[in-house]
């Protein structure tokens, strides 16, 4: 296996802003507690019901009624849709403290995407009735919900811009770096992505599964990644991170 520099990537000017700065407000559920008193926070916590789900469990389908907001407590979920020709579009892979179903629940419209657990996961549920009640009873909570919706919308705009403006290989590298996690007792010199198929990656990056397979093979041959079944090890994350920053 040979090793060579990833090369200097030149991001489109619209993509040089850091994603966290672009979002402004945080996209995480914990942000809805900003400024709340302990008793107010307790009221929200008490309204959330948590259930354990096995890997591969469908949480909701396209067209399902918007009964509740779902909060990832542990594990990961993917949110995606299928086009008429069977192409998968995966705008989001959510880990702990992320939220899905909020916009459809607020609007009272059917689900626009499908949500499935990627790992065994604990998922919190806040019913539509409790969401509206808490927003009426706790105005600051309602304001925080509005900020969370705005942050989620900004995040989706980022995804759309990324797909429109960045070359496919650069989108893949961004995706791998955002999904990779350091293993236990690691100093961060290796990142690991577990439990995602090539089809999942293709849906997130916006390319074909064949392209993903060929490009991952190239990255492996170049010494940037190593693969095993349902695992990708990013071997040189510091170099990749530097290249993405231009």
């Amino acid at each position: 296996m040979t090793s060579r520099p990833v090369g200097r990537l030149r991001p489109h000017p619209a993509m040089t802003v850091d994603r966290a700065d672009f979002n402004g407000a945080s996209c995480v559920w914990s942000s809805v507690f900003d400024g709340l008193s302990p008793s107010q926070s307790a009221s929200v916590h008490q309204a959330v019901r948590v259930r354990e789900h096995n890997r591969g469990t469908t949480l909701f389908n396209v067209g399902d009624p918007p009964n509740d907001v779902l909060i990832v407590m542990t594990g990961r979920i993917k949110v995606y849709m299928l086009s008429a020709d069977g192409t998968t579009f995966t705008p989001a892979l959510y880990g702990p403290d992320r939220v899905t179903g909020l916009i459809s629940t607020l609007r009272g419209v059917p689900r626009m995407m499908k949500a499935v657990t990627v790992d065994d996961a604990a998922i919190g549920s806040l019913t539509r009735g409790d969401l509206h009640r808490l927003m009426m009873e706790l105005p600051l909570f309602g304001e925080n919900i509005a900020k969370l919706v705005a942050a989620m919308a900004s995040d989706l705009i980022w995804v759309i811009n990324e797909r429109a403006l960045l070359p496919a290989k650069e989108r893949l590298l961004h995706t791998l770096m955002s999904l990779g996690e350091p293993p236990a007792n690691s100093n961060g010199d290796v990142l690991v992505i577990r439990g995602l198929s090539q089809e999942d990656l293709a849906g997130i990056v916006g390319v074909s599964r064949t392209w993903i397979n060929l490009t991952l093979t190239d990255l492996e041959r170049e010494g940037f990644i190593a693969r095993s079944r349902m695992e990708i090890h990013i071997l040189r994350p510091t170099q990749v991170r530097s290249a993405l920053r231009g």
Side-chain angles (χ1 to χ4, degrees):
M1 180 174 63
T2 59
S3 175
R4 66 188 188 193
V6 70
R8 183 177 178 83
L9 301 173
R10 300 184 180 277
H12 189 281
M15 301 301 295
T16 56
V17 178
D18 184 82
R19 186 168 184 170
D21 294 335
F22 181 80
N23 286 341
S26 175
C27 280
V28 296
W29 174 249
S30 55
S31 67
V32 305
F33 297 97
D34 290 350
L36 298 187
S37 70
S39 63
Q40 291 172 328
S41 296
S43 296
V44 178
H45 284 301
Q46 290 167 5
V48 176
R49 300 290 180 263
V50 180
R51 292 183 58 188
E52 302 286 339
H53 298 273
N54 294 329
R55 180 180 184 273
T57 299
T58 297
L59 301 174
F60 56 74
N61 275 299
V62 175
D64 281 354
N67 295 325
D68 52 3
V69 179
L70 300 182
I71 307 111
V72 183
M73 303 298 187
T74 64
R76 295 170 298 168
I77 67 173
K78 64 177 179 180
V79 181
Y80 66 98
M81 64 175 63
L82 292 174
S83 66
D85 64 359
T87 302
T88 302
F89 171 58
T90 309
L93 181 76
Y94 293 146
D97 207 20
R98 294 300 298 268
V99 183
T100 189
L102 176 57
I103 294 175
S104 61
T105 302
L106 280 172
R107 295 184 60 209
V109 298
R111 306 294 194 190
M112 296 173 284
M113 296 188 184
K114 181 174 182 176
V116 177
T117 56
V118 175
D119 314 301
D120 292 344
I123 307 296
S125 168
L126 179 64
T127 67
R128 185 165 184 257
D130 280 336
L131 173 65
H132 284 282
R133 174 181 60 79
L134 289 166
M135 291 177 68
M136 294 291 291
E137 294 177 355
L138 307 173
L140 184 54
F141 173 76
E143 181 180 330
N144 289 341
I145 287 290
K147 291 178 180 178
L148 177 57
V149 170
M152 292 170 67
S154 294
D155 200 58
L156 182 57
I157 292 171
W158 179 279
V159 171
I160 293 170
N161 282 347
E162 187 176 72
R163 290 202 176 192
L165 301 175
L166 292 184
K169 187 172 183 178
E170 192 168 345
R171 297 201 306 271
L172 174 60
L173 291 172
H174 272 291
T175 298
L176 294 176
M177 292 299 294
S178 68
L179 297 178
E181 297 179 344
N185 303 318
S186 166
N187 59 7
D189 56 346
V190 172
L191 300 177
V192 181
I193 303 167
R194 294 186 174 92
L196 287 187
S197 67
Q198 290 186 9
E199 184 177 3
D200 291 329
L201 277 176
I204 295 170
V205 178
V207 294
S208 70
R209 184 183 179 281
T210 299
W211 185 93
I212 286 288
N213 184 46
L214 292 173
T215 306
L216 289 177
T217 298
D218 287 342
L219 290 173
E220 191 167 24
R221 185 171 58 248
E222 293 164 2
F224 292 107
I225 67 170
R227 288 185 289 171
S228 57
R229 181 171 174 78
M230 298 295 282
E231 282 193 7
I232 298 174
H233 293 246
I234 304 171
L235 304 178
R236 295 150 64 191
T238 301
Q239 185 175 345
V240 175
R241 194 176 290 112
S242 297
L244 289 172
R245 289 172 179 166

